[in-house]
Amino acid sequence: MFKKILIANRGEIAVRVLRACHEMGIAAVVVYSDVDRASLHVRKADEAYPVGSATATESYLNIPKIIDVAKRSGADAVHPGYGFLSENAKFAQACADAGVKFIGPTAAAMEAMGSKTRARQAMEKAGVPLVPGTSRGVESFAEAQEVAAKIGYPVMLKAAAGGGGKGMRFVHAPEQLKSSLDAARSEAERSFGDSEVYIEKAFVNPRHIEMQLLADEHGNTVYLGERECSLQRRHQKVLEEAPSAIVDSDMRGRMGEAAVRVARAANYTNAGTVEFLVDRHKNFYFLEMNTRLQVEHPVTELVTGLDLVRLQIRIAAGERLPFTQDNIHIRGHAMECRIYAEDPDNNYFPSPGKITLLQEPSGPGIRVDSGIYEDWSVPIDYDPLLAKLIGYGADRDKAIARLTRALGEYFVGGIKTNVSLFRRILRDRDFRAAKLDTGFLDRMLKQTEDKPVDSSIAEVAAIGAGVLAASGSGTPLAGHGTANSDSQAANRTESKWKGASRAEALR
């Protein structure tokens, strides 16, 4: 087993990996940029090393600097988390060349699945069901026209080296194809240094369901069940749950076996996720493979009882999986909310700044994977993910109830967060009925935008009460009677906490 692991990341995922290391008796080393010197992962680490300025290319994406830290610190292995260098084959190879174990797949497996077109070619050979489209980049507009006409509109243009919605364009009709192709190629080149774009048939409002895999270095591969990831905004996942409400044991088995074929075709090891699109008839199609730990891995951990990060480390250390497929059982239901520093009421504009007050939820069935603390300043330089709030219950309704209660307890002062968005989602009738697809969130938000402002007397009174509490005024409103002085004193004593909370919320 490793004695020391370097965590080449930041934020909540660095803290998550660090905790797994400490539970296993492994020393944890972290890196940090100039603006992250006071971050939570730095505070909790055994050793911390600066790697440069806030610009990611100068710090968290700088391979030579991170390899240098691994050598200087004496780390046996590197865990990349997710994002940054987690799916960078050059980084995986650089670790191997430096004699440091990369906790993830090999560089060759990463390259095989990193290109969406090469992955499609491999899946064709493996007999995995694919979304109709091309398995290589289109070379001209004429070829794109021909392919689109053959598979039928709407179509989706995708960057071969893409991810996170970059280099993607939804094309409804032939007259949009030329401009969309040019825009997708340009964005792909800017984002990934690779302008290759391919075409897929676009399913209108499918479900997005992914299958978690684990594969050791001795030929054993298992699937750990699916996650429903259909709630998305601009191709970015917002809320995930496990299991999916539409997947029964038969469908889970077929999807899981297909995912295992994907992994074996790429000689894949460690943790990985195979993503599928599912149409209204419950037919599923291979979308892509993520060659890393996913943001939403906690929901799988809760319904399987497995620690995926601990298993990642053990696999990288050469151990065999301690179970077979028959030992994997799904129990209960889990949901995860991604808590971002952004303002849902202002087009989700980023909200950096100092956290002046932090009240995180707890209690039965609640887990918070957080990378923040009170008085810490959220930088604007990175992804605005602050924490992940996960609710677990015996069934979907109980998970929703616990998550709803937890969201009511969650408060982050000084900055804006998207907590209110999740409260709206969990109240939605279609969400509660599991009527989900990738267009769900856009429809829900559109309904909210179209809804007239409710100016009821009750709401106005509530706002007035909040302003009054924030001002600290104890003067009764004109025309209203007053109670005796003892009662007034008691009320003032009882309202101090609420007054402070309201004042903070009104900043």
Side-chain angles (χ1 to χ4, degrees), residues 362-385:
S362 59
I366 295 301
R367 167 175 165 178
V368 181
D369 282 18
S370 176
I372 64 176
Y373 61 89
E374 201 167 290
D375 291 332
W376 179 63
S377 292
V378 180
I380 197 171
D381 309 273
Y382 310 111
D383 185 278
L385 181 65

Side-chain angles (χ1 to χ4, degrees), residues 224-226 241-244 252 298-306 323-335 365 390-396 398-399 402:
L224 305 182
E226 78 284 353
E241 58 183 295
S244 168
R252 181 173 298 117
V299 296
T300 297
E301 292 186 325
L302 288 174
V303 298
T304 60
L306 300 173
F323 45 75
T324 64
Q325 190 65 59
D326 292 339
N327 302 128
I328 307 299
H329 302 288
I330 308 298
R331 296 183 179 88
H333 200 99
M335 288 185 180
I390 310 102
Y392 174 81
D395 54 38
R396 191 171 188 270
K398 289 185 176 64
R402 282 180 165 169

Side-chain angles (χ1 to χ4, degrees), residues 288-309:
E288 63 184 29
M289 185 175 191
N290 291 306
T291 57
R292 54 171 168 79
L293 188 70
Q294 293 281 86
V295 178
E296 58 272 20
H297 74 273
V299 296
T300 297
E301 292 186 325
L302 288 174
V303 298
T304 60
L306 300 173
D307 185 325
L308 296 190
V309 177

Side-chain angles (χ1 to χ4, degrees), residues 10 63 68 89 149 182 264 377 394 425 435:
R10 64 179 299 280
I63 294 175
D68 178 62
D182 291 343
R264 287 177 175 162
S377 292
I425 291 172
K435 296 178 181 178

Side-chain angles (χ1 to χ4, degrees), residues 108-223:
M110 203 177 288
E111 285 182 340
M113 303 309 293
S115 166
K116 307 299 186 274
T117 49
R118 287 200 299 272
R120 282 179 63 90
Q121 293 164 23
M123 295 313 104
E124 283 179 337
K125 294 178 182 178
V128 176
L130 294 172
V131 176
T134 62
S135 293
R136 54 187 55 81
V138 292
E139 297 181 357
S140 66
F141 172 57
E143 182 186 357
Q145 282 182 306
E146 182 180 346
V147 172
K150 182 179 179 181
I151 64 177
Y153 287 89
V155 298
M156 184 73 81
L157 302 176
K158 292 185 174 182
K166 301 292 186 182
M168 292 179 65
R169 293 293 185 277
F170 190 94
V171 184
H172 294 272
E175 57 269 21
Q176 299 173 341
L177 184 60
K178 179 68 166 65
S179 60
S180 297
L181 180 61
D182 291 343
R185 282 175 166 168
S186 176
E187 187 174 36
E189 178 64 35
R190 292 195 309 271
S191 301
F192 311 110
D194 184 348
S195 63
E196 183 183 5
V197 171
Y198 67 104
I199 298 181
E200 282 184 348
K201 173 67 178 174
F203 292 105
V204 178
N205 296 334
R207 294 179 89 115
H208 186 156
I209 298 176
E210 62 188 25
M211 186 67 64
Q212 177 69 58
L213 294 171
L214 281 176
D216 65 23
E217 298 176 357
H218 305 277
N220 304 305
T221 306
V222 298
Y223 60 88

